[in-house]
Amino acid sequence: KHEFPVVHITGPDEVCEGSEVILRSVVNPYRNDYVYRWSPENVLGRDSTLTSVTFRADTVDRSYGLTVETPIGCSGTANKFIVFHSKGFGDAISGVEYCPPGSAQLWASNGVSYEWYPTIGLNDPNIANPVTSVSTPTNYQVYITDSNNCVDTLNVIVDVHPRASLSIPDTVTIYPGGDGYQVLPNTN
């Protein structure tokens, strides 16, 4: 007995660019000899035995289809529309520099939550605008999460300049051929 298959596609309604998407078929009645045709083929491939497909999310909202057919041609079809959310929404300072024992304000924006790594030297790694007081150059990454729960990652370079030191010899000539001056500790 060949019945028309009743087809459903399960999977997310919204995804973030670059994330893994899995679409699964639910077909009734069950048969082990169905032929599956997913579309669009250029995204999902042509394998006719797959009851599910996995792909990387791009940035195009689109409908995905599945036609399931019995060996004698009875078929059923389902569609699933998925909305894609793009990366690249975050913004952050590209870099800062200072001399110790100073500090610098970092910033990131366009998110609902922020995570800075490494956390060393930061007054709070979970805010948009932490203050860093690292004593050596550090490359931070900030993970910016938006209202769609998508994450954008940006790099921030903190360049810490060494403290200045001045070395003066014991005797200094003020001007060529002129008077010399001897430097003594604790004197002018």
Side-chain angles (χ1 to χ4, degrees):
K1 178 179 177 183
H2 286 268
E3 297 180 40
F4 284 94
V6 177
V7 181
H8 299 283
I9 299 173
T10 63
D13 295 325
E14 298 183 36
V15 294
C16 301
E17 175 186 353
S19 62
E20 183 178 80
V21 179
I22 300 173
L23 299 178
R24 291 185 171 87
S25 64
V26 177
V27 184
N28 288 306
Y30 172 78
R31 293 178 59 109
N32 62 1
D33 60 353
Y34 285 132
V35 174
Y36 295 81
R37 284 193 316 270
W38 292 91
S39 63
E41 287 181 355
N42 64 326
V43 176
L44 304 178
R46 295 178 182 234
D47 191 335
S48 62
T49 62
L50 296 177
T51 60
S52 66
V53 291
T54 303
F55 60 97
R56 287 275 169 214
D58 57 14
T59 58
V60 179
D61 298 351
R62 71 179 72 174
S63 183
Y64 295 86
L66 173 61
T67 299
V68 176
E69 192 173 298
T70 68
I72 64 165
C74 299
S75 65
T77 301
N79 290 293
K80 173 104 180 131
F81 190 80
I82 300 178
V83 175
F84 292 92
H85 300 288
S86 296
K87 286 185 175 182
F89 55 83
D91 193 15
I93 189 169
S94 61
V96 295
E97 55 187 275
Y98 62 90
C99 297
S103 62
Q105 180 94 51
L106 307 178
W107 63 263
S109 62
N110 300 332
V112 295
S113 69
Y114 304 86
E115 292 180 57
W116 294 82
Y117 292 101
T119 60
I120 190 162
L122 297 176
N123 67 328
D124 186 342
N126 298 309
I127 61 174
N129 56 349
V131 173
T132 181
S133 58
V134 290
S135 58
T136 59
T138 303
N139 293 330
Y140 286 104
Q141 283 190 319
V142 58
Y143 299 91
I144 306 168
T145 303
D146 71 3
S147 60
N148 298 307
N149 211 28
C150 295
V151 178
D152 201 3
T153 306
L154 298 171
N155 294 310
V156 177
I157 298 169
V158 175
D159 194 11
V160 181
H161 299 286
R163 297 182 83 166
S165 63
L166 181 60
S167 296
I168 300 177
D170 289 345
T171 302
V172 176
T173 300
I174 303 288
Y175 55 90
D179 295 334
Y181 181 78
Q182 182 154 6
V183 178
L184 300 174
N186 299 320
T187 64
N188 289 340

